Amino acid sequence: MKGAALGVLTGVLAGFCVACGAEDDTMVTVYAAASLSEAFEELAQQFEATHPEVDVRLSFAGSARLAAQITAGARADVFASADTVTMDRVVHAGRTADHPLVFARNRLALAVPAHNPADVSGLADLTDDSLVVAVCAPEVPCGALAEAVLDDAGLAVDADTEETSVRAVLTKVALGEADAGLVYATDIAAGGNRVAEVSLGPSGFRTDYPIAPVSDQSRAADFVDFVTGPAGADILRRHGFETP
């Protein structure tokens, strides 16, 4: 992006950066779920290529954290969440400028470090107390989905760490600090050869990703239209997302 993209924000740093909203129609500030990082970096680049007068500033974090920042008054132009429940909080707070649209879908997946040193073979193994298991916190979309998957399987898993974003879980697994973690399928793809996927079988546990303009700035609506349009869908599918 022509404007320096903001990386995954954590802790106090996120609080300092969230007020960097757009003041005119030459900049669009986009708050997006951490699992959208690579896809939205490409989307922003392509949007800027067709709108050379516009800078797209990207801020990535867990959806729940971003929603809390927006409802508290942080200046953003667009919000893309990893589930509809979190988006609904922003809608109910009166902080969206138009109705959210579902633009992508993802599925939960079980990630292990490359070569699977703990020999994890499925969800049931996560009940083994000798394993270090990482999940998202329950208020984060990937954490809520993980709870649903484990409940459906009748498994009681005492996770060793609950992270504020799905990329934090992926990092724990990739570094070998966790033997397994529940993330999204697209995160495993983004992890490259640092992680591997253990099949959960024909799981129907998927999450819808909605997007909405937060400000009434015209470029915010243009960016949403681009993401939800054919060009945006092509980019999202290349990054492993399903599209409506």
Side-chain angles (χ1 to χ4, degrees):
M1 279 68 71
K2 296 191 292 294
L6 301 180
V8 176
L9 301 180
T10 57
V12 176
L13 181 60
F16 292 149
C17 292
V18 295
C20 306
E23 295 183 356
D24 55 43
D25 62 1
T26 64
M27 184 182 297
V28 179
T29 300
V30 178
Y31 283 21
S35 53
L36 292 166
S37 297
E38 290 79 12
F40 265 52
E41 285 166 1
E42 184 175 352
L43 284 163
Q45 289 169 354
Q46 292 301 315
F47 182 81
E48 288 180 343
T50 56
H51 299 77
E53 73 284 6
V54 181
D55 268 350
V56 178
R57 297 291 177 94
L58 298 171
S59 180
F60 299 114
S63 296
R65 174 171 292 185
L66 295 175
Q69 292 167 353
I70 292 170
T71 56
R75 297 188 62 181
D77 296 308
V78 175
F79 178 43
S81 172
D83 72 350
T84 57
V85 172
T86 306
M87 176 63 77
D88 286 346
R89 296 177 200 154
V90 178
V91 172
H92 293 156
R95 293 286 283 131
T96 52
D98 203 348
H99 297 296
L101 297 172
V102 172
F103 68 96
R105 294 187 175 93
N106 214 340
R107 64 177 174 83
L108 198 72
L110 181 57
V112 295
H115 310 301
N116 194 6
D119 198 25
V120 176
S121 61
L123 276 178
D125 289 346
L126 302 187
T127 61
D128 184 345
D129 290 339
S130 69
L131 293 182
V132 177
V133 177
V135 298
C136 293
E139 65 271 15
V140 180
C142 66
L145 191 59
E147 282 191 342
V149 169
L150 294 170
D151 287 347
D152 185 71
L155 299 173
V157 175
D158 186 15
D160 296 276
T161 181
E162 294 183 345
E163 303 296 332
T164 59
S165 79
V166 70
R167 286 306 171 90
V169 175
L170 184 72
T171 298
K172 291 273 188 183
V173 175
L175 293 176
E177 296 174 4
D179 297 307
L182 287 166
V183 298
Y184 296 125
T186 54
D187 296 300
I188 293 178
N193 59 11
R194 300 178 301 157
V195 296
E197 179 176 357
V198 174
S199 175
L200 296 181
S203 171
F205 287 94
R206 283 170 164 75
T207 183
D208 288 342
Y209 283 62
I211 188 170
V214 174
S215 76
D216 57 7
Q217 196 246 85
S218 62
R219 296 304 187 184
D222 291 344
F223 186 80
V224 170
D225 288 344
F226 179 75
V227 171
T228 57
D234 286 345
I235 291 171
L236 288 159
R237 286 192 292 268
R238 284 205 302 273
H239 287 272
F241 291 91
E242 301 173 14
T243 56

